[in-house]
Amino acid sequence: MDRKTSHQRLKTHFVRLTELKPDSIVYFVIRSGDHVSPRFWFRTAPSENKPLTFVAGGDSRNHRDARQRANRSVAKLRPLFVCFGGDMIDRPVPREWYDWFDDWQLTIAEDGRIFPIVAARGNHEHYRDVNYLFDTPNKDDYYAFTIGKQYLRVYTLNSNIVRGGAQGAWLASDLKANQDYTWKIAHYHHPFRPHTSGKKEQDAQYEAWAPAFYEFGLNLAIECDSHTVKRTWPVRPSNEAGSDHGFIRDDERGTVFIGEGCWGAPLRPNDDIKEWTRDSASFNQVNWIAVTPEKMTARTIRVDEVDQFESVDDEKPLTPPANLPVWKASNGTEVVIEPWK
């Protein structure tokens, strides 16, 4: 694919691999003319309901030093995949994309392992950038995939187009068809209820998505855009007494929301706390999330301290490495999510 601008050109090439075996290592090199890359490798997803980890976050657009530290954290955390919630760049021009892809190579581990990116669109990307550059399976950048046997269903949503309409209908239908999965997670750019006062409440998104999240059992939602840090108690949509901004705490059948995007974009104050906020702060971070058949565990990692911690052992992917700089929030360093009752 060639994407032309007035002064430069972006070229993207995609190769589709088929008949890969689950939970296996795939080695490859990239050849361009007489140049051959070092050998890289990745691990395919398991077909069984095995423990795994993934990294989630977004908003890397401005400060390359912070972005690079977050990318190096991915290399050390060694997840199965990365959910990136948009605003990769500040302006959708080739120079910024070149820099972003150069920086993304810092996610490659020392042994050549690369980590697949599950890309969502933010408001700073051109409306076709994510599809053009990451080969998303839907040109409107909302899609889902499955790992295991009714184990994990991952939804990528697009909060930069109509949340209802075709996207809302697809989301409700897919959640309903897969409601028996142990785990269902979603990631997208704009938070329903931002935790910084300079961002507006997303009422149209609330109307389009929140009822389906609750009715069909979404366990975890990962949000970005606000450049602050938050995690909530499990909540469900409600306007009853005790609710706040359309949500109320429900420990048995609620969705946990985490975010809100601090991969290198300018940090904002966490000055819009809700009644159901568990913890909030403001620092550069990514979320490292472990999934097992019994529980999910989310840890927020302070990426500015990337040089202090060791790498995850592939033989023990859920075991935190030595000196891991986990956020020591007032309500606990870990958010543990159990299947809905």
Side-chain angles (χ1 to χ4, degrees), residues 3 19 23 34 71 73 86 141 257 278-279 329:
R3 176 119 184 265
E19 300 182 11
D23 200 18
D34 294 332
N71 290 351
S73 297
D141 299 318
F257 292 79
R278 175 170 173 160
D279 291 294

Side-chain angles (χ1 to χ4, degrees), residues 13 25 33-34 80 103 107 137 144-145 190 232 235:
H13 305 277
I25 292 174
D34 294 332
L80 185 64
D103 289 348
T107 67
F145 66 91
H190 292 99
T232 76
V235 295

